[in-house]
């Protein structure tokens, strides 16, 4: 279970026509100290530093992926609350198929999703491409360059049919990327 630092607050729910109801809520910290930076790999996620976390995705085993954008990494938080680097932080700048996810250099990844097959897709925003990692081997299995999706894929979502929806910030549009059959 995730280690939690909790505090009480009130959640406000908007219910059409400007009506709002206040309800007690419990908010807990799952990861991060509140100070920007990079630290804490292989330790408690609540003691780790993150730098501009932008997106989340759940793996089939229940672990959570975090797009740690300014640290150029995707971080993983396991069910025990331990944080590790899932992808990025490496020295290989181009996503060649077969490269291990931790040996790859990511540049400002803003989006992450998990496909129905269990593969992980990262919107490598600063690298102007989508990068696909095998859910079983952790290696790069494919990528889509910016010439197909615009110059800034800011987020990505996997659909049940295997296609991807991509928020293209620079192109000011949402695209559907269908895998070749």
């Amino acid at each position: 279970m995730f280690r939690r630092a909790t505090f009480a607050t009130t959640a406000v729910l908007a219910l059409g026509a400007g009506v709002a109801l206040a309800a007690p809520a419990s908010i807990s910290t799952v990861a991060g100290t509140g100070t920007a930076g990079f630290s804490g790999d292989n330790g408690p996620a609540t003691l780790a530093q993150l730098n501009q976390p932008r997106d989340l995705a759940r793996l089939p085993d229940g672990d959570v992926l975090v797009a740690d954008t300014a640290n150029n990494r995707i971080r993983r938080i396991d069910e025990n609350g331990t944080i590790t680097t899932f992808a990025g932080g490496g020295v290989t700048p181009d996503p060649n198929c077969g490269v291990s996810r931790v040996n790859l250099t990511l540049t400002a990844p803003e989006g992450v999703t998990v496909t129905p097959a269990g593969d992980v897709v990262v919107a490598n925003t600063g690298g102007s491409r989508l990068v696909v990692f095998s859910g079983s081997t952790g290696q790069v299995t494919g990528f889509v360059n910016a010439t197909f999706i615009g110059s800034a894929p800011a987020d990505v979502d996997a659909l049940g049919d295997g296609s991807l929806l991509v928020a293209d910030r620079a192109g000011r549009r949402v695209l559907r990327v269908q895998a070749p059959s």
Side-chain angles (χ1 to χ4, degrees):
M1 193 62 168
F2 294 111
R3 183 174 166 199
R4 295 189 174 120
T6 60
F7 53 94
T9 188
T10 301
V12 177
L13 307 173
L15 302 174
V19 177
L21 297 176
S26 173
I27 298 174
S28 58
T29 299
V30 174
T33 62
T35 300
F38 177 78
S39 71
D41 259 6
N42 301 309
T46 55
L47 300 179
Q49 289 179 309
L50 301 172
N51 198 347
Q52 298 181 22
R54 298 268 170 96
D55 198 16
L56 304 169
R58 287 191 72 114
L59 291 167
D61 64 5
D63 290 358
V64 176
L65 297 177
V66 179
D68 193 1
T69 303
N71 280 326
N72 300 311
R73 299 173 197 280
I74 302 297
R75 309 281 289 276
R76 179 182 194 149
I77 305 166
D78 71 17
E79 64 181 23
N80 297 314
T82 299
I83 193 167
T84 56
T85 293
F86 177 83
V91 295
T92 306
D94 293 318
N96 298 311
C97 290
V99 170
S100 168
R101 64 181 184 243
V102 293
N103 291 330
L104 181 67
T105 299
L106 294 175
T107 308
E110 292 189 13
V112 61
T113 192
V114 179
T115 69
D119 294 331
V120 175
V121 182
V122 173
N124 191 28
T125 309
S128 301
R129 65 184 75 201
L130 299 178
V131 182
V132 183
F133 301 98
S134 166
S136 59
T137 67
Q139 295 187 330
V140 175
T141 57
F143 57 94
V144 179
N145 281 320
T147 53
F148 298 108
I149 59 171
S151 61
D155 199 6
V156 60
D157 192 29
L159 302 178
D161 66 359
S163 63
L164 302 169
L165 288 180
V166 180
D168 174 15
R169 181 183 311 133
R172 292 170 279 300
R173 57 194 174 164
V174 175
L175 304 170
R176 183 182 188 124
V177 177
Q178 187 70 44
S181 50

